[in-house]
Amino acid sequence: ETGVTQTPRHLVMGMTNKKSLKCEQHLGHNAMYWYKQSAKKPLELMFVYNFKEQTENNSVPSRFSPECPNSSHLFLHLHTLQPEDSALYLCASGEQGREQFFGPGTRLTVL
Amino acid sequence: AQKITQTQPGMFVQEKEAVTLDCTYDTSDQSYGLFWYKQPSSGEMIFLIYQGSYDEQNATEGRYSLNFQKARKSANLVISASQLGDSAMYFCAMRGRLGVQGAQKLVFGQGTRLTINP
């Protein structure tokens, strides 16, 4: 398998649930990113990891918790989310100075 | 702060015609990069083309070209000979100078929905 993969592709959860989104890249990149894409809004950068170290937290609420155990895997742990957190969550990887490669996204619905 | 503006929420074009998608940007960085991505209804963001701020020639990739006008701070995407499969959302994005630890940040515009009519 190549490129950037994300699981699950679709997720429906209640506000009291705890779930995790997974991202895996097979491109050998050192940086990985989480973005949120809500309806009628530009993509919003959430977190950046470079060489497994978090280098950016874009004022994201603590109910979103990222984890990067190695340079190929990135997780987004979710707990006590709100309905307004429903969105498409995109993972990307890349090398400095060039394009980022995106996964297919997880479409999250919070009931 | 960096900002990307895409003023066309939607465009409708006849198949085989050329189409230009507008993008203007604002940055105080001297070194930056500009990207265009395509997002079909499936959701995945597909990289199309890149232009560096110091590149002297406009970038081209197959049917895609980037009309880079640095003084006007514009980076329009031109698609030649449009096809039905070009129907999608198109996003312009930019990166500023590299961060302290080297990981770049991308700022995206709001996108343009392109529809190609047969």
Side-chain angles (χ1 to χ4, degrees):
Chain A
E1 199 168 5
T2 59
V4 182
T5 58
Q6 290 186 243
T7 55
R9 295 292 308 277
H10 301 272
L11 178 62
V12 180
M13 57 187 291
M15 291 190 287
T16 58
N17 292 156
K18 290 184 179 181
K19 297 287 183 182
S20 296
L21 309 185
K22 179 182 177 181
C23 175
E24 186 172 357
Q25 59 104 354
H26 307 271
L27 301 169
H29 294 152
N30 295 318
M32 295 187 75
Y33 309 80
W34 279 117
Y35 289 88
K36 175 184 179 183
Q37 186 178 28
S38 304
K40 300 181 180 179
K41 292 178 69 176
L43 267 77
E44 302 171 74
L45 178 67
M46 299 176 72
F47 301 104
V48 180
Y49 278 83
N50 195 38
F51 293 98
K52 302 185 299 179
E53 299 296 322
Q54 183 176 315
T55 59
E56 188 83 21
N57 177 338
N58 203 24
S59 303
V60 180
S62 59
R63 58 185 182 271
F64 295 90
S65 176
E67 179 189 1
C68 188
N70 55 63
S71 58
S72 298
H73 294 84
L74 186 64
F75 295 88
L76 188 62
H77 304 299
L78 317 171
H79 64 99
T80 59
L81 294 191
Q82 305 297 312
E84 60 264 29
D85 296 323
S86 298
L88 180 69
Y89 289 84
L90 290 161
C91 173
S93 71
E95 294 293 339
Q96 62 179 7
R98 292 298 305 185
E99 65 273 20
Q100 293 176 14
F101 293 84
F102 285 79
T106 295
R107 188 160 298 280
L108 173 66
T109 302
V110 181
L111 302 177
Chain B
Q2 299 168 340
K3 185 178 180 181
I4 293 283
T5 302
Q6 294 180 254
T7 58
Q8 306 154 311
M11 287 192 69
F12 295 84
V13 174
Q14 285 299 116
E15 189 180 9
K16 300 181 184 178
E17 287 184 355
V19 57
T20 298
L21 304 181
D22 294 340
C23 172
T24 57
Y25 60 91
D26 190 20
T27 181
S28 57
D29 291 334
Q30 296 300 310
S31 174
Y32 52 89
L34 295 153
F35 304 81
W36 276 93
Y37 284 86
K38 171 184 178 181
Q39 187 179 40
S41 56
S42 59
E44 184 174 359
M45 298 284 282
I46 302 168
F47 166 74
L48 296 178
I49 197 167
Y50 167 80
Q51 179 87 40
S53 58
Y54 292 119
D55 294 341
E56 294 185 352
Q57 297 201 348
N58 287 343
T60 60
E61 290 285 349
R63 294 186 300 113
Y64 305 108
S65 61
L66 200 151
N67 185 0
F68 181 46
Q69 298 187 41
K70 196 169 182 177
R72 299 180 60 183
K73 292 189 174 180
S74 74
N76 298 340
L77 176 71
V78 180
I79 306 174
S80 63
S82 58
Q83 303 171 356
L84 297 178
D86 293 333
S87 295
M89 282 290 290
Y90 288 80
F91 291 93
C92 181
M94 76 176 297
R95 66 150 179 89
R97 61 183 176 86
L98 299 175
V100 172
Q101 298 190 35
Q104 65 182 30
K105 295 167 56 175
L106 286 184
V107 174
F108 284 81
Q110 291 192 299
T112 295
R113 182 170 297 281
L114 176 64
T115 302
I116 306 298
N117 295 316

